[in-house]
Amino acid sequence: MVEAMDEYDQMLKDFEKRKDQYGFVEIRCASVRGRNEKGESIWIGVAIKVIPHKKDEEKGEERNYNYGDVIFRRIYIPAEDFLKILRNSRETRILRIPGDPELEYRIEGLRKEIIY
């Protein structure tokens, strides 16, 4: 069985190898409001898809659909910034999406085919 961190490390290595081809990364994510162990309201990342785009491609329109307890987002960030996010996430094992400081995606729950 392939461990989640092995897949993560391979994805990071692949992205670093191809980073000069990419201009930006499209991130599509969904989060829901839940409760932590203390009963406090928190945002939980439930789905994420990362799509690298070549430098000559055009960005679409960013989206942010907030339905109160569910949020769907589509954002675009420079490829170099996404690489920094990946590198920082390796140590913490938490992928944080720009613009959502409280939202976290646990690395152990991510799979390469979902992310990349």
Side-chain angles (χ1 to χ4, degrees), residues 5 8 11-12 15 25-31 43-51 73 75 77 81-112 114-116:
M5 289 312 292
Y8 182 85
M11 181 190 64
L12 179 56
F15 195 90
V25 172
E26 177 181 347
I27 299 175
R28 298 177 185 181
C29 55
S31 54
W43 285 103
I44 302 167
V46 293
I48 184 170
K49 182 164 185 146
V50 175
I51 306 165
R73 292 185 68 211
I75 62 170
I77 61 172
D81 290 352
F82 181 70
L83 186 55
K84 289 176 190 173
I85 291 169
L86 284 179
R87 288 178 181 146
N88 291 339
S89 299
R90 176 64 176 92
E91 186 175 323
T92 63
R93 294 181 176 229
I94 295 173
L95 186 69
R96 288 192 171 84
I97 303 303
D100 281 331
E102 297 177 28
L103 183 57
E104 304 175 341
Y105 292 85
R106 302 217 183 285
I107 298 300
E108 288 81 3
L110 301 177
R111 291 285 177 246
K112 187 176 180 182
I114 295 172
I115 295 183
Y116 200 60

Side-chain angles (χ1 to χ4, degrees), residues 1-8 10 111:
M1 181 176 163
V2 177
E3 295 293 321
M5 289 312 292
D6 292 338
E7 287 187 358
Y8 182 85
Q10 185 61 50
R111 291 285 177 246

Side-chain angles (χ1 to χ4, degrees), residues 29-34 41-47 64-73 100 103 105:
C29 55
S31 54
V32 296
R33 189 182 311 272
S41 178
I42 60 169
W43 285 103
I44 302 167
V46 293
N64 188 3
Y65 299 108
N66 187 334
Y67 298 102
D69 290 336
V70 179
I71 296 176
F72 298 100
R73 292 185 68 211
D100 281 331
L103 183 57
Y105 292 85

